[in-house]
């Protein structure tokens, strides 16, 4: 059971602190056998109790002549050491329950100077009780977490707040909040707690961490006034940014989320083994990048084409449709099979200087023509030029099936919503004109391709990462 005087003094201090307005100060003066200790308490801009204290011993207050030799001087010293603090609105005098004449005399001087002061008697030192009361002080303002809401029509983010702890909450209170975090930049996602005083928020605390984008169930716990702990996240650390810097980091607009997409990847699989492996690797990176951005909204078609044979004794390998409008996982599995197979149709009697570029185009045009008129991204990865439809000055043998690559590219370009991109073995200034046409929207060099940049140019991913400094309130909460 608590000691009666300890419990009563704690309640008295707690009530005085609860009655303390934002602009007021509360003073406690402890009169003990060894001297005076003064506590000056106030509330900061967020309503949190703050305080400082200082002490003076009886020998220091009485001076060289001593207590009995100069009682008037000692009285003046006692009042002077507490005068600055005792000008506050609330005063509590705490005296040891003893018959010590110094304690009683000093208490009498202080009571005479401040007749409205409340007097408490206790044997135990008061400092521990002051700390307990401050730590257990109920909130005088609600604590709220700064979150982002995005207007679905304009993609403009705006700041708002989600209440964590209402007015009157005490330490130990907990609440669970569903949040979604996006890419946040160098400082990470900021978990900023604010209070409100008028129209503007006041920053209470801000902690941050490099949080992986995704959905989080976060628990907020009120440890004491002014301190909130978050669990369910990576370890948070103090964030050096002030409120203005945090607000300035909020982008004006978010890029629109990429909708359903059909990525048609056509890969040339004839040539040197390492070159074919590199082409297939680039296709894998593109599929993975697009899938990571739009997930199940991505459909993938995968084709492999090689070289024509002009010798009847050597069968020609037709364009292979490894997957058509499949999920990313299925397409990547099909790509794995192509990687295991490696380069095909190399050496005599397969044409060494061109590929079934035009045959591949014919298959893509025919298949897309049968499909719904949904937008498609056609990405061709290779290096050889196509065969002409008939003999021309290029000295490349004409296509056995008389496919005209120019007309087929034109047909793709005329198809509504179709975007053409390419990754070519040669840099743009050395690439055959066919690669410039099949890479009309974006043409990249195999050895120096920026995969995400190319995906953005083709509309498969957002054009550039946008950093959100705060979490978003989960829309499914």
């Amino acid at each position: 059971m608590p000691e009666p005087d300890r419990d009563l003094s704690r309640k008295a201090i707690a009530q005085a602190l609860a009655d303390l307005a934002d602009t007021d100060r509360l003073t406690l003066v402890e009169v003990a056998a060894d001297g005076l200790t003064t506590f000056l308490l106030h509330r900061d801009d967020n309503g949190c109790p703050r305080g400082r204290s200082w002490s003076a011993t009886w020998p220091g207050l009485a001076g060289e002549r001593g207590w009995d030799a100069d009682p008037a001087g000692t009285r003046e010293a006692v009042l002077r050491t507490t005068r600055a603090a005792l000008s506050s609105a609330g005063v509590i005098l705490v005296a040891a329950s003893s018959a010590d004449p110094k304690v009683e005399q000093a208490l009498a001087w202080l009571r005479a100077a401040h007749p409205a002061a409340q007097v408490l008697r206790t044997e135990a030192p008061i400092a521990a009780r002051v700390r307990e009361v401050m730590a257990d002080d109920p909130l005088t303002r609600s604590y709220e977490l700064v979150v982002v809401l995005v207007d679905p029509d304009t993609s403009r983010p705006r700041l708002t707040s989600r209440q964590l702890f209402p007015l009157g909450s005490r330490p130990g209170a907990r609440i669970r909040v569903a949040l979604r975090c996006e890419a946040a930049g160098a400082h990470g996602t900021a978990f900023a707690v604010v209070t409100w005083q008028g129209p503007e928020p006041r920053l209470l605390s801000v902690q941050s961490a490099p949080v992986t984008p995704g959905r989080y169930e976060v628990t907020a716990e009120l440890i004491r006034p002014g301190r909130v702990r978050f669990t369910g996240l990576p370890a948070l650390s103090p964030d050096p940014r002030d409120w203005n810097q945090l607000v300035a980091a909020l982008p004006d607009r978010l890029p629109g989320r990429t909708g359903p997409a059909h990525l048609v990847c056509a890969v040339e699989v004839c040539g040197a083994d390492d070159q074919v492996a590199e082409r297939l690797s680039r296709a894998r990176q593109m599929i993975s990048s697009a899938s990571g951005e739009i997930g199940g909204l991505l459909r993938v078609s995968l084709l492999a084409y090689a070289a024509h044979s002009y010798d009847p004794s050597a069968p020609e390998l037709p364009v292979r449709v490894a997957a058509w409008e499949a999920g990313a996982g299925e397409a990547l599995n099909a790509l794995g099979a192509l990687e295991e197979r490696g380069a095909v149709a190399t050496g005599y009697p397969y044409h060494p200087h061109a590929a079934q570029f035009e045959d591949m185009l014919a298959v893509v045009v025919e298949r897309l023509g049968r499909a719904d008129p949904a937008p498609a991204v056609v990405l061709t990865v290779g290096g050889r030029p196509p065969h002409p439809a008939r003999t021309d000055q290029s000295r490349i043998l004409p296509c056995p099936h008389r496919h005209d690559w120019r007309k087929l590219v034109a047909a793709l370009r005329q198809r509504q919503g179709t975007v053409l991109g390419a990754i070519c073995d040669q840099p743009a200034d050395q690439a055959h004109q066919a690669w410039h046409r099949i890479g009309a929207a974006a043409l990249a060099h195999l050895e120096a391709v920026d995969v995400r940049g190319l995906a953005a140019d083709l509309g498969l991913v957002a054009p550039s990462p946008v950093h959100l400094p705060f979490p978003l309130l989960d829309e499914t909460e």
Side-chain angles (χ1 to χ4, degrees):
M1 294 181 60
E3 299 175 12
D5 68 326
R6 177 184 177 85
D7 191 49
L8 289 174
S9 62
R10 191 182 188 284
K11 288 182 178 178
I13 296 169
Q15 185 60 55
L17 186 60
D19 294 340
L20 192 62
D22 290 348
T23 57
D24 290 340
R25 294 183 298 171
L26 171 65
T27 301
L28 289 88
V29 180
E30 182 180 32
V31 189
D34 56 351
L36 300 177
T37 301
T38 305
F39 302 86
L40 182 60
L41 309 182
H42 70 284
R43 294 191 182 279
D44 64 15
D45 291 340
N46 290 300
C48 299
R50 305 295 182 192
R52 60 189 181 92
S53 64
W54 61 93
S55 300
T57 63
W58 295 131
L61 291 168
E64 295 180 358
R65 299 179 61 189
W67 182 286
D68 297 327
D70 186 12
T74 303
R75 175 183 177 277
E76 179 60 27
V78 167
L79 298 180
R80 184 171 59 250
T81 195
T82 60
R83 185 170 291 129
L86 290 171
S87 62
S88 61
V91 177
I92 297 178
L93 304 176
V94 183
S97 299
S98 68
D100 189 315
K102 292 185 178 65
V103 171
E104 296 304 320
Q105 181 61 74
L107 180 61
W109 289 336
L110 292 168
R111 294 185 68 177
H114 303 279
Q118 184 178 4
V119 179
L120 304 176
R121 292 279 187 174
T122 179
E123 293 287 354
I126 204 68
R129 244 157 299 168
V130 171
R131 288 192 293 270
E132 289 172 7
V133 168
M134 292 175 67
D136 195 45
D137 187 51
L139 299 187
T140 60
R141 297 179 191 170
S142 67
Y143 284 7
E144 303 188 10
L145 178 69
V146 178
V147 294
V148 176
L149 290 180
V150 179
D151 187 308
D153 296 324
T154 65
S155 295
R156 290 188 179 276
R158 65 179 179 87
L159 293 182
T160 185
S161 58
R162 202 276 194 195
Q163 187 180 81
L164 298 177
F165 306 108
L167 187 75
S169 297
R170 289 188 178 275
R174 294 185 179 187
I175 188 170
R176 192 170 65 177
V177 186
L179 300 172
R180 184 162 53 85
C181 297
E182 300 288 347
H187 289 282
T189 302
F191 293 83
V193 180
V194 297
T195 63
W196 290 86
Q197 184 74 353
E200 296 296 326
R202 294 184 181 273
L203 189 61
L204 175 75
S205 65
V206 56
Q207 305 169 75
S208 61
V211 180
T212 302
R215 186 179 184 275
Y216 293 84
E217 288 283 344
V218 179
T219 299
E221 179 183 4
L222 180 61
I223 302 300
R224 61 173 182 269
R227 185 183 174 194
V228 176
R229 179 169 60 201
F230 294 97
T231 55
L233 293 164
L236 298 172
S237 57
D239 194 304
R241 291 173 290 181
D242 62 24
W243 177 249
N244 290 332
Q245 291 172 315
L246 288 166
V247 172
L250 189 72
D252 292 332
R253 186 187 297 270
L254 299 183
R257 290 191 174 272
T258 305
H262 180 193
L263 171 61
V264 180
C265 276
V267 185
E268 181 186 317
V269 292
C270 56
D273 287 335
D274 58 348
Q275 196 167 42
V276 170
E278 181 69 11
R279 293 174 192 151
L280 292 168
S281 175
R282 294 303 190 188
R284 177 176 291 278
Q285 291 168 12
M286 285 294 297
I287 296 170
S288 298
S289 179
S291 174
E293 183 88 5
I294 59 177
L297 297 177
L298 178 69
R299 309 306 293 173
V300 181
S301 296
L302 179 64
L303 297 88
Y305 67 96
H308 280 304
S309 169
Y310 289 88
D311 185 339
S313 65
E316 180 168 293
L317 298 175
V319 174
R320 179 180 179 184
V321 180
W324 190 262
E325 290 198 84
E330 183 182 343
L332 289 172
N333 289 337
L335 184 60
L338 293 178
E339 290 171 329
E340 290 182 8
R341 185 184 185 191
V344 298
T346 58
Y348 182 82
Y350 298 100
H351 200 291
H353 304 304
Q356 299 166 326
F357 190 109
E358 70 289 345
D359 286 32
M360 174 272 294
L361 290 175
V363 173
V364 171
V365 169
E366 191 273 333
R367 289 231 174 191
L368 288 179
R370 282 188 288 152
D372 293 334
V377 174
V378 179
L379 175 70
T380 306
V381 188
R384 295 187 184 186
H387 291 267
R390 58 188 58 84
T391 302
D392 62 14
Q393 296 179 350
S394 68
R395 296 187 180 180
I396 296 174
L397 293 176
C399 173
H401 308 108
R402 297 298 187 260
H403 289 138
D404 189 328
W405 69 266
R406 291 180 177 84
K407 291 181 179 180
L408 292 167
V409 171
L412 286 176
R413 296 184 68 171
Q414 289 170 5
R415 184 178 184 275
Q416 186 175 5
T418 299
V419 179
L420 303 182
I423 301 175
C424 185
D425 294 351
Q426 297 83 31
D429 61 349
Q430 299 175 26
H432 186 275
Q433 60 171 315
W435 287 96
H436 287 273
R437 294 198 186 186
I438 198 63
L443 176 59
H445 183 202
L446 181 70
E447 295 181 4
V449 59
D450 172 5
V451 172
R452 196 186 191 288
L454 179 60
D457 290 341
L458 298 176
L460 291 170
V461 301
S464 60
V466 173
H467 297 150
L468 282 179
F470 302 101
L472 295 94
L473 197 60
D474 191 81
E475 298 171 347
T476 62
E477 186 188 21

